[in-house]
Amino acid sequence: MTKELSIENIKKELINKISNNSEILEVFRKREYSKDEGKCLREYGDSFIKDNYIFDHYVLDLADYISVEVAENEYPIYGNSKKEIRKSYNVSILVTLTDTSELDRISVLLGDMATELYPDRYNYGNHSHIIEKQSVYGKFTQPERAIMFAIE
């Protein structure tokens, strides 16, 4: 059975896979939390992590997160008597952690999950760059990994 590809379905599948991975959850369990966040983590467990650190959209002001974004493209296919339109999807999974020692390992895990869900993916890349973030405490820079690929 072929998966029905759409922005919503791709995000949902990836977020579900990421949110239920014990190694990823463990990294977020170990991070330093404020007193209030620590209380929420103890009270709500992994659902606190899933709701506050794993997103289906870009994140502007957090230092630790995983986010999934999907772009949809249409292009014509010529060759037979009628013109067909195909869709492709460019997927970006962004991860940034204040504990940078875990960043590379987590990015490889995320790439493996993408390959498991979408074995026919192409144009795969796992890139590192420095981002500048703005928080209530001012601007700061932080490394980020971007796992990118396309699917049809």
Side-chain angles (χ1 to χ4, degrees), residues 11-73:
K11 283 184 173 189
K12 191 181 295 183
E13 271 192 316
L14 282 165
I15 291 293
N16 185 47
K17 186 88 170 160
I18 293 166
S19 295
N20 290 301
N21 182 281
S22 60
E23 290 179 77
I24 288 176
L25 292 172
E26 185 59 32
V27 167
F28 283 94
R29 283 185 210 114
K30 298 188 313 193
R31 82 179 278 282
E32 284 188 37
Y33 290 99
S34 70
K35 185 178 178 182
D36 289 338
E37 285 178 315
K39 181 180 175 188
C40 289
L41 181 60
R42 287 187 300 280
E43 187 172 336
Y44 298 108
D46 289 342
S47 65
F48 173 76
I49 295 168
K50 294 173 186 181
D51 292 343
N52 292 282
Y53 296 97
I54 301 172
F55 301 99
D56 64 354
H57 53 81
Y58 286 120
V59 180
L60 299 175
D61 59 354
L62 287 179
D64 293 289
Y65 62 84
I66 296 172
S67 71
V68 176
E69 195 52 70
V70 179
E72 181 180 72
N73 305 293

Side-chain angles (χ1 to χ4, degrees), residues 77-100:
I77 299 175
Y78 300 101
N80 38 359
S81 60
K82 63 178 189 169
K83 183 173 108 177
E84 292 181 52
I85 301 292
R86 289 194 74 167
K87 289 185 180 184
S88 68
Y89 297 87
N90 294 327
V91 180
S92 298
I93 305 171
L94 305 174
V95 58
T96 184
L97 301 168
T98 49
D99 180 3
T100 56

Side-chain angles (χ1 to χ4, degrees), residues 3 6-8 10 26 31 53 56 62 67 70 74 76 84 104 115 133 142 151:
K3 296 179 187 184
S6 70
I7 291 172
E8 183 180 8
I10 295 166
E26 185 59 32
R31 82 179 278 282
Y53 296 97
D56 64 354
L62 287 179
S67 71
V70 179
E74 288 186 354
E84 292 181 52
D104 292 340
T115 301
K133 303 289 274 186
Q142 186 168 339
I151 52 180

Side-chain angles (χ1 to χ4, degrees), residues 129-140:
H129 52 275
I130 302 296
I131 57 171
E132 186 173 279
K133 303 289 274 186
Q134 177 70 43
S135 76
V136 293
Y137 303 108
K139 289 184 180 181
F140 64 96

